[in-house]
Amino acid sequence: MILKVIVVDDEPLAVNVIKNYILRVKELQLEGTFSNALDASTFLRDNEVDIMFLDINMPFLDGLEFLSTLHKKPFVIMTTAHEEHALKSFELEAIDYLVKPISLPRFFKSVDRVIGLKKGANNGTSDKDEKPSIFVKVDKKKLQKIYLDEIMVIESLKDYIRIITPTSKYIIHRTLSSFTDELPGDNFIRIHRSYTIAVDKVSVVEGNSVEIGGIRYTIGRSYLTDAKSRILNNLTD
């Protein structure tokens, strides 16, 4: 199996590093390198590509904006010097997120994952079978994967939030508003200036509060009508 690869990055040194890594993997075939997303877009219209290594900070159109315009995506591996765009990248269906400088072992791990997914697709399975998830930055160098169906409550701690699952709690440097905006609105709802909840995790509704995981959470007055309607509709579905 040979996978066709392109690299989209405006840093010649970074491009050379990835090119050298690609040459070490027999399953990869480099089809081209592009210093901006516009040229890459033109190439993708007329050529089949399996993997695209995509930088974020580029002229004309940044990598995330470019990725959001693609209807038919190859497997996309983001390559960037900045860690803070990981969540948005995964929401746009990037398969991995490599922070520069990229080490050879980390590159191999990412490519191995794509090869496995490609083989699975050829065998009738799909990467879409994996549960929806997000990656959150839990310290300076660590991104934690959290499955969306495990999130129960997100609690505001001023400039931080606490993400609560049945088995763990994660504190990350985000605001509740910005994080809530990036969650799928069909199941997550803001019920208070301090809380966003997963509607399907509510076990009890009583007065102006809900119970999740044995803990009561107050519904704010301005959220009450919409929140109770959404929650009760879910309970009766």
Side-chain angles (χ1 to χ4, degrees):
M1 178 177 61
I2 300 297
L3 302 181
K4 297 179 179 180
V5 182
I6 64 171
V7 180
V8 187
D9 197 317
D10 65 333
E11 300 178 20
L13 181 59
V15 172
N16 286 334
V17 169
I18 296 174
K19 285 173 61 176
N20 289 332
Y21 288 172
I22 290 171
L23 293 174
R24 295 171 181 257
V25 183
K26 64 180 181 180
E27 291 91 347
L28 301 185
Q29 177 177 305
L30 182 63
E31 295 292 304
T33 64
F34 305 91
S35 61
N36 64 78
L38 300 181
D39 290 342
S41 179
T42 300
F43 183 84
L44 287 172
R45 281 198 294 268
D46 300 320
N47 297 273
E48 289 291 331
V49 172
D50 297 297
I51 304 175
M52 175 168 62
F53 290 92
L54 178 62
D55 187 22
I56 292 180
N57 292 328
M58 292 185 295
F60 309 124
L61 189 69
D62 73 36
L64 293 176
E65 293 170 335
F66 173 46
L67 187 55
S68 70
T69 69
L70 297 178
H71 298 292
K72 183 181 179 182
K73 298 182 177 73
F75 288 107
V76 177
I77 299 173
M78 307 303 297
T79 61
T80 177
H82 305 282
E83 298 179 351
E84 65 268 23
H85 302 297
L87 179 59
K88 185 64 176 178
S89 297
F90 289 116
E91 288 177 346
L92 292 172
E93 300 181 337
I95 203 69
D96 208 346
Y97 191 92
L98 304 183
V99 179
K100 300 174 182 177
I102 301 167
S103 69
L104 184 58
R106 184 66 181 87
F107 176 88
F108 281 164
K109 182 178 180 180
S110 186
V111 169
D112 281 344
R113 184 184 180 201
V114 174
I115 291 173
L117 291 171
K118 192 70 174 178
K119 288 179 177 178
N122 291 340
N123 292 331
T125 61
S126 169
D127 60 305
K128 301 295 185 184
D129 296 332
E130 185 175 348
K131 296 191 299 181
S133 62
I134 59 172
F135 281 77
V136 298
K137 187 177 179 182
V138 295
D139 61 37
K140 290 183 178 180
K141 295 184 179 180
K142 182 179 178 181
L143 290 170
Q144 175 69 46
K145 183 177 186 177
I146 303 177
Y147 291 108
L148 294 183
D149 66 1
E150 294 181 357
I151 297 176
M152 301 166 64
V153 177
I154 306 101
E155 179 183 0
S156 175
L157 304 172
K158 292 188 178 180
D159 293 331
Y160 291 80
I161 58 173
R162 179 187 289 117
I163 301 171
I164 302 171
T165 73
T167 58
S168 302
K169 296 179 180 179
Y170 305 96
I171 295 178
I172 65 172
H173 189 208
R174 292 286 300 277
T175 64
L176 182 61
S177 294
S178 67
F179 191 79
T180 300
D181 287 345
E182 295 177 353
L183 293 171
D186 58 340
N187 190 46
F188 291 93
I189 183 172
R190 186 86 173 261
I191 65 165
H192 190 276
R193 64 181 182 180
S194 297
Y195 305 115
T196 290
I197 65 166
V199 174
D200 64 352
K201 299 297 188 295
V202 174
S203 57
V204 176
V205 180
E206 184 176 351
N208 66 336
S209 69
V210 296
E211 184 175 313
I212 300 176
I215 298 175
R216 287 296 179 100
Y217 297 92
T218 299
I219 304 174
R221 182 178 301 174
S222 62
Y223 301 90
L224 191 60
T225 301
D226 183 53
K228 291 187 75 170
S229 175
R230 288 276 306 277
I231 294 165
L232 291 173
N233 283 341
N234 180 76
L235 290 174
T236 56
D237 283 346

